[in-house]
Amino acid sequence: MAGNITKQIRRALRIHRIFMAQELKKMMEYKANFIVGIIAFLLGQVTNIVFIGIVFTQIPDLKGWSVYEIVFIYGFSLVPKGIDHLLFDNLWSIGYFTVRRGDFDKYLTRPVNTLYNVMIEKIQIDALGELLMGIALIIITLPKVDIVWSVPKVLLIIVVIPFATFIYTGIKIATSAIAFWTKRSGQVMYMFYMVNDFAKYPVTIYNATVRGIITYVIPFAFTAFYPAKYILTGDNPLYNVGTTVLIAVVIDLIGVVIWNKGIRAYESAGS
């Protein structure tokens, strides 16, 4: 049993490596697009940081959070979002056009799990701009925030980042799979996804309704604020990190269930 599972994992990783190699070859044919995409993302994030700076020239702190702490939270939020954007952004195509055009049929003819195939088929290299900005903001603000480091904290950070990423991915899986019934779900995906903008800042600055939505309904707060709060303060790792892990597992399981049900309901479309 264990040997069979190991064999399947090796096969999956080999397929992933092949897809990534082919995608990188395609991207290198259009180097200008690659560079422009990264610069565009960097400029977008710089604009947001300038806005935060302008606000804090008038307000010394926001509900007890200093400008450096808010920038740290903002930078941390870009890391899981950037990883998801880099590796799993092909899910958007399912919601917008792949099912509607009938192009999803190709995945059904391949001896690879459909969800896995969709997720590894492409990478969005311009997401590196998002990742670079997030890492840069974290590094810049580290000397300005009072973080007490320990081995357990470092280990928890290593654990929480992939699970924060999986929250993004699980939400995209669930909302993209709606297209198997409706033929198109891009607008629903976008509506859910844009809620993540609220999670780039401390949730304590919002009213109870917004806090409830981004914490318990569309829980993007656990992709950024709560893990970052633990890093900054060391408070309540069971909630700030443990709940992030739990929510990621639950959302991804829900996403896979919806996806599998959608596959069974799928009917080819297109012209």
Side-chain angles (χ1 to χ4, degrees):
M1 180 62 131
N4 188 42
I5 293 174
T6 302
K7 185 178 179 181
Q8 290 178 356
I9 292 174
R10 287 178 178 172
R11 178 174 179 269
L13 291 175
R14 182 171 59 83
I15 293 171
H16 186 271
R17 187 169 61 252
I18 292 170
F19 270 102
M20 292 303 98
Q22 295 306 312
E23 186 67 14
L24 287 171
K25 288 177 184 177
K26 286 164 56 179
M27 289 178 180
M28 289 302 100
E29 292 181 7
Y30 303 97
K31 295 181 180 65
N33 286 347
F34 164 67
I35 295 170
V36 169
I38 291 179
I39 292 174
F41 268 96
L42 287 172
L43 289 176
Q45 302 307 326
V46 167
T47 302
N48 289 332
I49 297 302
V50 169
F51 172 76
I52 293 173
I54 292 172
V55 169
F56 274 87
T57 58
Q58 306 298 322
I59 305 172
D61 66 79
L62 193 59
K63 290 290 185 73
W65 297 94
S66 71
V67 62
Y68 295 111
E69 289 172 329
I70 290 180
V71 173
F72 179 89
I73 294 169
Y74 188 97
F76 185 88
S77 75
L78 297 179
V79 175
K81 184 181 179 185
I83 295 172
D84 171 75
H85 183 191
L86 177 70
L87 299 177
F88 309 127
D89 218 48
N90 196 41
L91 287 163
W92 286 96
S93 68
I94 302 298
Y96 273 105
F97 56 81
T98 301
V99 174
R100 181 170 57 88
R101 294 177 182 173
D103 294 340
F104 189 79
D105 292 3
K106 66 181 181 181
Y107 298 110
L108 298 174
T109 63
R110 297 172 179 172
V112 182
N113 178 273
T114 55
L115 178 56
Y116 182 70
N117 196 170
V118 170
M119 291 171 66
I120 69 169
E121 188 173 40
K122 292 183 179 179
I123 57 173
Q124 289 289 356
I125 205 72
D126 53 9
L128 291 177
E130 215 164 16
L131 279 169
L132 290 172
M133 176 60 74
I135 294 169
L137 292 176
I138 290 172
I139 293 172
I140 290 168
T141 54
L142 276 179
K144 305 292 186 179
V145 293
D146 187 19
I147 297 176
V148 178
W149 294 102
S150 65
V151 173
K153 177 177 282 190
V154 172
L155 292 176
L156 285 175
I157 293 169
I158 294 171
V159 168
V160 81
I161 288 175
F163 281 98
T165 301
F166 293 149
I167 292 176
Y168 277 99
T169 309
I171 290 173
K172 282 161 60 175
I173 291 170
T175 51
S176 67
I178 295 172
F180 293 129
W181 289 277
T182 63
K183 304 305 180 189
R184 186 170 182 175
S185 63
Q187 290 80 3
V188 176
M189 292 182 70
Y190 183 79
M191 180 182 69
F192 274 75
Y193 196 77
M194 291 310 294
V195 174
N196 83 86
D197 283 344
F198 290 98
K200 296 176 180 177
Y201 308 97
V203 300
T204 53
I205 70 175
Y206 304 119
N207 62 38
T209 300
V210 175
R211 285 202 307 271
I213 291 172
I214 64 176
T215 301
Y216 302 111
V217 181
I218 311 174
F220 281 121
F222 286 97
T223 67
F225 172 69
Y226 289 110
K229 180 184 177 184
Y230 166 69
I231 298 171
L232 290 168
T233 67
D235 290 345
N236 202 349
L238 184 62
Y239 180 78
N240 292 323
V241 175
T243 308
T244 300
V245 173
L246 178 62
I247 286 176
V249 172
V250 170
I251 285 182
D252 279 84
L253 286 175
I254 291 172
V256 170
V257 169
I258 295 174
W259 181 278
N260 289 335
K261 286 183 177 294
I263 292 292
R264 291 193 289 271
Y266 171 73
E267 295 178 354
S268 185
S271 57

PDB file of all heavy atoms in Angstrom, residues 188-214:
ATOM      1  N   VAL A 188     -18.449  34.969 -10.066  1.00  0.00           N
ATOM      2  CA  VAL A 188     -18.554  34.491  -8.684  1.00  0.00           C
ATOM      3  C   VAL A 188     -17.156  34.355  -8.083  1.00  0.00           C
ATOM      4  O   VAL A 188     -16.913  34.763  -6.935  1.00  0.00           O
ATOM      5  CB  VAL A 188     -19.292  33.136  -8.630  1.00  0.00           C
ATOM      6  CG1 VAL A 188     -19.319  32.595  -7.202  1.00  0.00           C
ATOM      7  CG2 VAL A 188     -20.704  33.279  -9.163  1.00  0.00           C
ATOM      8  N   MET A 189     -16.226  33.794  -8.839  1.00  0.00           N
ATOM      9  CA  MET A 189     -14.846  33.679  -8.372  1.00  0.00           C
ATOM     10  C   MET A 189     -14.276  35.044  -8.015  1.00  0.00           C
ATOM     11  O   MET A 189     -13.662  35.216  -6.959  1.00  0.00           O
ATOM     12  CB  MET A 189     -13.968  33.033  -9.453  1.00  0.00           C
ATOM     13  CG  MET A 189     -14.261  31.573  -9.729  1.00  0.00           C
ATOM     14  SD  MET A 189     -13.126  30.911 -10.988  1.00  0.00           S
ATOM     15  CE  MET A 189     -11.566  30.889 -10.088  1.00  0.00           C
ATOM     16  N   TYR A 190     -14.496  35.997  -8.907  1.00  0.00           N
ATOM     17  CA  TYR A 190     -13.950  37.340  -8.701  1.00  0.00           C
ATOM     18  C   TYR A 190     -14.555  37.985  -7.455  1.00  0.00           C
ATOM     19  O   TYR A 190     -13.847  38.620  -6.660  1.00  0.00           O
ATOM     20  CB  TYR A 190     -14.229  38.200  -9.927  1.00  0.00           C
ATOM     21  CG  TYR A 190     -13.634  39.586  -9.855  1.00  0.00           C
ATOM     22  CD1 TYR A 190     -12.282  39.790 -10.110  1.00  0.00           C
ATOM     23  CD2 TYR A 190     -14.421  40.678  -9.522  1.00  0.00           C
ATOM     24  CE1 TYR A 190     -11.728  41.055 -10.035  1.00  0.00           C
ATOM     25  CE2 TYR A 190     -13.878  41.955  -9.448  1.00  0.00           C
ATOM     26  CZ  TYR A 190     -12.535  42.132  -9.707  1.00  0.00           C
ATOM     27  OH  TYR A 190     -11.987  43.400  -9.623  1.00  0.00           O
ATOM     28  N   MET A 191     -15.861  37.823  -7.284  1.00  0.00           N
ATOM     29  CA  MET A 191     -16.547  38.413  -6.133  1.00  0.00           C
ATOM     30  C   MET A 191     -15.966  37.868  -4.826  1.00  0.00           C
ATOM     31  O   MET A 191     -15.681  38.627  -3.902  1.00  0.00           O
ATOM     32  CB  MET A 191     -18.045  38.115  -6.202  1.00  0.00           C
ATOM     33  CG  MET A 191     -18.852  38.686  -5.036  1.00  0.00           C
ATOM     34  SD  MET A 191     -20.589  38.254  -5.164  1.00  0.00           S
ATOM     35  CE  MET A 191     -20.514  36.469  -4.864  1.00  0.00           C
ATOM     36  N   PHE A 192     -15.775  36.547  -4.757  1.00  0.00           N
ATOM     37  CA  PHE A 192     -15.201  35.939  -3.555  1.00  0.00           C
ATOM     38  C   PHE A 192     -13.746  36.356  -3.384  1.00  0.00           C
ATOM     39  O   PHE A 192     -13.311  36.701  -2.276  1.00  0.00           O
ATOM     40  CB  PHE A 192     -15.287  34.407  -3.644  1.00  0.00           C
ATOM     41  CG  PHE A 192     -16.582  33.839  -3.159  1.00  0.00           C
ATOM     42  CD1 PHE A 192     -17.737  33.933  -3.919  1.00  0.00           C
ATOM     43  CD2 PHE A 192     -16.655  33.206  -1.926  1.00  0.00           C
ATOM     44  CE1 PHE A 192     -18.933  33.413  -3.470  1.00  0.00           C
ATOM     45  CE2 PHE A 192     -17.847  32.676  -1.466  1.00  0.00           C
ATOM     46  CZ  PHE A 192     -18.993  32.780  -2.242  1.00  0.00           C
ATOM     47  N   TYR A 193     -12.991  36.335  -4.486  1.00  0.00           N
ATOM     48  CA  TYR A 193     -11.550  36.562  -4.417  1.00  0.00           C
ATOM     49  C   TYR A 193     -11.214  37.972  -3.961  1.00  0.00           C
ATOM     50  O   TYR A 193     -10.243  38.179  -3.226  1.00  0.00           O
ATOM     51  CB  TYR A 193     -10.925  36.287  -5.778  1.00  0.00           C
ATOM     52  CG  TYR A 193      -9.426  36.115  -5.758  1.00  0.00           C
ATOM     53  CD1 TYR A 193      -8.856  34.933  -5.313  1.00  0.00           C
ATOM     54  CD2 TYR A 193      -8.578  37.137  -6.193  1.00  0.00           C
ATOM     55  CE1 TYR A 193      -7.481  34.754  -5.295  1.00  0.00           C
ATOM     56  CE2 TYR A 193      -7.204  36.972  -6.173  1.00  0.00           C
ATOM     57  CZ  TYR A 193      -6.661  35.784  -5.722  1.00  0.00           C
ATOM     58  OH  TYR A 193      -5.296  35.615  -5.704  1.00  0.00           O
ATOM     59  N   MET A 194     -11.997  38.956  -4.388  1.00  0.00           N
ATOM     60  CA  MET A 194     -11.685  40.340  -4.063  1.00  0.00           C
ATOM     61  C   MET A 194     -11.863  40.658  -2.587  1.00  0.00           C
ATOM     62  O   MET A 194     -11.377  41.681  -2.103  1.00  0.00           O
ATOM     63  CB  MET A 194     -12.529  41.284  -4.912  1.00  0.00           C
ATOM     64  CG  MET A 194     -12.164  41.285  -6.389  1.00  0.00           C
ATOM     65  SD  MET A 194     -10.377  41.490  -6.689  1.00  0.00           S
ATOM     66  CE  MET A 194     -10.127  43.162  -6.070  1.00  0.00           C
ATOM     67  N   VAL A 195     -12.536  39.770  -1.856  1.00  0.00           N
ATOM     68  CA  VAL A 195     -12.669  39.960  -0.415  1.00  0.00           C
ATOM     69  C   VAL A 195     -11.292  39.930   0.244  1.00  0.00           C
ATOM     70  O   VAL A 195     -11.090  40.501   1.324  1.00  0.00           O
ATOM     71  CB  VAL A 195     -13.597  38.880   0.192  1.00  0.00           C
ATOM     72  CG1 VAL A 195     -13.641  38.959   1.710  1.00  0.00           C
ATOM     73  CG2 VAL A 195     -15.011  39.045  -0.368  1.00  0.00           C
ATOM     74  N   ASN A 196     -10.312  39.297  -0.422  1.00  0.00           N
ATOM     75  CA  ASN A 196      -8.979  39.201   0.173  1.00  0.00           C
ATOM     76  C   ASN A 196      -8.328  40.563   0.384  1.00  0.00           C
ATOM     77  O   ASN A 196      -7.411  40.690   1.192  1.00  0.00           O
ATOM     78  CB  ASN A 196      -8.071  38.295  -0.672  1.00  0.00           C
ATOM     79  CG  ASN A 196      -7.445  39.043  -1.835  1.00  0.00           C
ATOM     80  OD1 ASN A 196      -6.404  39.672  -1.724  1.00  0.00           O
ATOM     81  ND2 ASN A 196      -8.088  38.958  -2.992  1.00  0.00           N
ATOM     82  N   ASP A 197      -8.792  41.594  -0.329  1.00  0.00           N
ATOM     83  CA  ASP A 197      -8.221  42.926  -0.140  1.00  0.00           C
ATOM     84  C   ASP A 197      -8.402  43.422   1.294  1.00  0.00           C
ATOM     85  O   ASP A 197      -7.563  44.166   1.814  1.00  0.00           O
ATOM     86  CB  ASP A 197      -8.861  43.922  -1.113  1.00  0.00           C
ATOM     87  CG  ASP A 197      -8.303  43.788  -2.521  1.00  0.00           C
ATOM     88  OD1 ASP A 197      -7.225  43.163  -2.681  1.00  0.00           O
ATOM     89  OD2 ASP A 197      -8.929  44.289  -3.462  1.00  0.00           O
ATOM     90  N   PHE A 198      -9.506  43.014   1.930  1.00  0.00           N
ATOM     91  CA  PHE A 198      -9.735  43.420   3.314  1.00  0.00           C
ATOM     92  C   PHE A 198      -8.736  42.763   4.264  1.00  0.00           C
ATOM     93  O   PHE A 198      -8.461  43.289   5.338  1.00  0.00           O
ATOM     94  CB  PHE A 198     -11.155  43.042   3.747  1.00  0.00           C
ATOM     95  CG  PHE A 198     -12.238  43.856   3.084  1.00  0.00           C
ATOM     96  CD1 PHE A 198     -12.918  43.357   1.989  1.00  0.00           C
ATOM     97  CD2 PHE A 198     -12.565  45.114   3.556  1.00  0.00           C
ATOM     98  CE1 PHE A 198     -13.921  44.095   1.375  1.00  0.00           C
ATOM     99  CE2 PHE A 198     -13.558  45.865   2.947  1.00  0.00           C
ATOM    100  CZ  PHE A 198     -14.235  45.360   1.851  1.00  0.00           C
ATOM    101  N   ALA A 199      -8.221  41.603   3.870  1.00  0.00           N
ATOM    102  CA  ALA A 199      -7.346  40.834   4.758  1.00  0.00           C
ATOM    103  C   ALA A 199      -5.917  41.359   4.771  1.00  0.00           C
ATOM    104  O   ALA A 199      -5.090  40.871   5.540  1.00  0.00           O
ATOM    105  CB  ALA A 199      -7.344  39.362   4.341  1.00  0.00           C
ATOM    106  N   LYS A 200      -5.618  42.347   3.944  1.00  0.00           N
ATOM    107  CA  LYS A 200      -4.268  42.898   3.911  1.00  0.00           C
ATOM    108  C   LYS A 200      -4.007  43.865   5.060  1.00  0.00           C
ATOM    109  O   LYS A 200      -2.873  44.338   5.225  1.00  0.00           O
ATOM    110  CB  LYS A 200      -4.030  43.612   2.577  1.00  0.00           C
ATOM    111  CG  LYS A 200      -4.073  42.685   1.364  1.00  0.00           C
ATOM    112  CD  LYS A 200      -3.936  43.472   0.080  1.00  0.00           C
ATOM    113  CE  LYS A 200      -3.983  42.547  -1.134  1.00  0.00           C
ATOM    114  NZ  LYS A 200      -3.916  43.310  -2.405  1.00  0.00           N
ATOM    115  N   TYR A 201      -5.037  44.151   5.818  1.00  0.00           N
ATOM    116  CA  TYR A 201      -4.931  45.100   6.913  1.00  0.00           C
ATOM    117  C   TYR A 201      -5.478  44.452   8.186  1.00  0.00           C
ATOM    118  O   TYR A 201      -6.185  43.448   8.122  1.00  0.00           O
ATOM    119  CB  TYR A 201      -5.717  46.376   6.586  1.00  0.00           C
ATOM    120  CG  TYR A 201      -5.354  46.964   5.244  1.00  0.00           C
ATOM    121  CD1 TYR A 201      -6.131  46.703   4.106  1.00  0.00           C
ATOM    122  CD2 TYR A 201      -4.218  47.761   5.100  1.00  0.00           C
ATOM    123  CE1 TYR A 201      -5.785  47.226   2.870  1.00  0.00           C
ATOM    124  CE2 TYR A 201      -3.869  48.284   3.863  1.00  0.00           C
ATOM    125  CZ  TYR A 201      -4.649  48.016   2.749  1.00  0.00           C
ATOM    126  OH  TYR A 201      -4.299  48.530   1.524  1.00  0.00           O
ATOM    127  N   PRO A 202      -5.164  45.001   9.361  1.00  0.00           N
ATOM    128  CA  PRO A 202      -5.686  44.418  10.609  1.00  0.00           C
ATOM    129  C   PRO A 202      -7.217  44.367  10.602  1.00  0.00           C
ATOM    130  O   PRO A 202      -7.867  45.385  10.344  1.00  0.00           O
ATOM    131  CB  PRO A 202      -5.173  45.385  11.685  1.00  0.00           C
ATOM    132  CG  PRO A 202      -3.977  46.037  11.077  1.00  0.00           C
ATOM    133  CD  PRO A 202      -4.265  46.149   9.616  1.00  0.00           C
ATOM    134  N   VAL A 203      -7.782  43.214  10.887  1.00  0.00           N
ATOM    135  CA  VAL A 203      -9.241  43.084  10.847  1.00  0.00           C
ATOM    136  C   VAL A 203      -9.903  43.880  11.962  1.00  0.00           C
ATOM    137  O   VAL A 203     -11.104  44.161  11.897  1.00  0.00           O
ATOM    138  CB  VAL A 203      -9.674  41.600  10.942  1.00  0.00           C
ATOM    139  CG1 VAL A 203      -9.094  40.802   9.797  1.00  0.00           C
ATOM    140  CG2 VAL A 203      -9.287  40.992  12.272  1.00  0.00           C
ATOM    141  N   THR A 204      -9.126  44.270  12.970  1.00  0.00           N
ATOM    142  CA  THR A 204      -9.696  45.031  14.081  1.00  0.00           C
ATOM    143  C   THR A 204     -10.105  46.447  13.677  1.00  0.00           C
ATOM    144  O   THR A 204     -10.797  47.127  14.432  1.00  0.00           O
ATOM    145  CB  THR A 204      -8.686  45.112  15.239  1.00  0.00           C
ATOM    146  OG1 THR A 204      -7.432  45.605  14.745  1.00  0.00           O
ATOM    147  CG2 THR A 204      -8.477  43.741  15.867  1.00  0.00           C
ATOM    148  N   ILE A 205      -9.676  46.909  12.489  1.00  0.00           N
ATOM    149  CA  ILE A 205     -10.061  48.256  12.063  1.00  0.00           C
ATOM    150  C   ILE A 205     -11.444  48.279  11.421  1.00  0.00           C
ATOM    151  O   ILE A 205     -11.989  49.350  11.175  1.00  0.00           O
ATOM    152  CB  ILE A 205      -9.022  48.855  11.079  1.00  0.00           C
ATOM    153  CG1 ILE A 205      -9.077  48.137   9.725  1.00  0.00           C
ATOM    154  CG2 ILE A 205      -7.632  48.806  11.674  1.00  0.00           C
ATOM    155  CD1 ILE A 205      -8.170  48.742   8.666  1.00  0.00           C
ATOM    156  N   TYR A 206     -12.023  47.096  11.167  1.00  0.00           N
ATOM    157  CA  TYR A 206     -13.324  47.017  10.509  1.00  0.00           C
ATOM    158  C   TYR A 206     -14.441  46.842  11.527  1.00  0.00           C
ATOM    159  O   TYR A 206     -14.215  46.458  12.684  1.00  0.00           O
ATOM    160  CB  TYR A 206     -13.353  45.842   9.523  1.00  0.00           C
ATOM    161  CG  TYR A 206     -12.262  45.887   8.480  1.00  0.00           C
ATOM    162  CD1 TYR A 206     -11.322  44.857   8.386  1.00  0.00           C
ATOM    163  CD2 TYR A 206     -12.157  46.943   7.586  1.00  0.00           C
ATOM    164  CE1 TYR A 206     -10.319  44.880   7.429  1.00  0.00           C
ATOM    165  CE2 TYR A 206     -11.153  46.979   6.630  1.00  0.00           C
ATOM    166  CZ  TYR A 206     -10.237  45.953   6.556  1.00  0.00           C
ATOM    167  OH  TYR A 206      -9.244  45.981   5.617  1.00  0.00           O
ATOM    168  N   ASN A 207     -15.665  47.067  11.062  1.00  0.00           N
ATOM    169  CA  ASN A 207     -16.816  46.842  11.941  1.00  0.00           C
ATOM    170  C   ASN A 207     -17.078  45.345  12.078  1.00  0.00           C
ATOM    171  O   ASN A 207     -16.468  44.521  11.387  1.00  0.00           O
ATOM    172  CB  ASN A 207     -18.055  47.585  11.442  1.00  0.00           C
ATOM    173  CG  ASN A 207     -18.507  47.122  10.060  1.00  0.00           C
ATOM    174  OD1 ASN A 207     -18.452  45.942   9.738  1.00  0.00           O
ATOM    175  ND2 ASN A 207     -18.947  48.057   9.220  1.00  0.00           N
ATOM    176  N   ALA A 208     -18.012  44.998  12.958  1.00  0.00           N
ATOM    177  CA  ALA A 208     -18.247  43.583  13.289  1.00  0.00           C
ATOM    178  C   ALA A 208     -18.698  42.771  12.078  1.00  0.00           C
ATOM    179  O   ALA A 208     -18.323  41.604  11.937  1.00  0.00           O
ATOM    180  CB  ALA A 208     -19.282  43.485  14.405  1.00  0.00           C
ATOM    181  N   THR A 209     -19.475  43.393  11.197  1.00  0.00           N
ATOM    182  CA  THR A 209     -19.989  42.668  10.023  1.00  0.00           C
ATOM    183  C   THR A 209     -18.852  42.266   9.088  1.00  0.00           C
ATOM    184  O   THR A 209     -18.743  41.106   8.667  1.00  0.00           O
ATOM    185  CB  THR A 209     -21.002  43.533   9.262  1.00  0.00           C
ATOM    186  OG1 THR A 209     -22.090  43.856  10.133  1.00  0.00           O
ATOM    187  CG2 THR A 209     -21.538  42.793   8.046  1.00  0.00           C
ATOM    188  N   VAL A 210     -17.986  43.231   8.760  1.00  0.00           N
ATOM    189  CA  VAL A 210     -16.858  42.942   7.867  1.00  0.00           C
ATOM    190  C   VAL A 210     -15.912  41.937   8.517  1.00  0.00           C
ATOM    191  O   VAL A 210     -15.443  40.999   7.867  1.00  0.00           O
ATOM    192  CB  VAL A 210     -16.110  44.237   7.500  1.00  0.00           C
ATOM    193  CG1 VAL A 210     -14.861  43.923   6.682  1.00  0.00           C
ATOM    194  CG2 VAL A 210     -17.021  45.182   6.729  1.00  0.00           C
ATOM    195  N   ARG A 211     -15.639  42.114   9.805  1.00  0.00           N
ATOM    196  CA  ARG A 211     -14.764  41.160  10.511  1.00  0.00           C
ATOM    197  C   ARG A 211     -15.329  39.752  10.441  1.00  0.00           C
ATOM    198  O   ARG A 211     -14.603  38.788  10.228  1.00  0.00           O
ATOM    199  CB  ARG A 211     -14.604  41.572  11.984  1.00  0.00           C
ATOM    200  CG  ARG A 211     -13.696  42.740  12.214  1.00  0.00           C
ATOM    201  CD  ARG A 211     -13.167  42.757  13.653  1.00  0.00           C
ATOM    202  NE  ARG A 211     -14.232  42.686  14.634  1.00  0.00           N
ATOM    203  CZ  ARG A 211     -14.870  43.738  15.139  1.00  0.00           C
ATOM    204  NH1 ARG A 211     -14.542  44.950  14.727  1.00  0.00           N
ATOM    205  NH2 ARG A 211     -15.809  43.582  16.055  1.00  0.00           N
ATOM    206  N   GLY A 212     -16.643  39.620  10.639  1.00  0.00           N
ATOM    207  CA  GLY A 212     -17.268  38.297  10.596  1.00  0.00           C
ATOM    208  C   GLY A 212     -17.168  37.656   9.229  1.00  0.00           C
ATOM    209  O   GLY A 212     -16.897  36.455   9.116  1.00  0.00           O
ATOM    210  N   ILE A 213     -17.350  38.454   8.184  1.00  0.00           N
ATOM    211  CA  ILE A 213     -17.301  37.915   6.821  1.00  0.00           C
ATOM    212  C   ILE A 213     -15.907  37.407   6.480  1.00  0.00           C
ATOM    213  O   ILE A 213     -15.735  36.289   5.988  1.00  0.00           O
ATOM    214  CB  ILE A 213     -17.763  38.980   5.806  1.00  0.00           C
ATOM    215  CG1 ILE A 213     -19.262  39.250   5.965  1.00  0.00           C
ATOM    216  CG2 ILE A 213     -17.452  38.522   4.368  1.00  0.00           C
ATOM    217  CD1 ILE A 213     -19.764  40.411   5.134  1.00  0.00           C
ATOM    218  N   ILE A 214     -14.875  38.237   6.742  1.00  0.00           N
ATOM    219  CA  ILE A 214     -13.522  37.846   6.329  1.00  0.00           C
ATOM    220  C   ILE A 214     -12.865  36.885   7.306  1.00  0.00           C
ATOM    221  O   ILE A 214     -11.773  36.367   7.027  1.00  0.00           O
ATOM    222  CB  ILE A 214     -12.620  39.081   6.109  1.00  0.00           C
ATOM    223  CG1 ILE A 214     -12.417  39.848   7.415  1.00  0.00           C
ATOM    224  CG2 ILE A 214     -13.192  39.966   5.027  1.00  0.00           C
ATOM    225  CD1 ILE A 214     -11.453  41.018   7.269  1.00  0.00           C
TER     226      ILE A 214
END
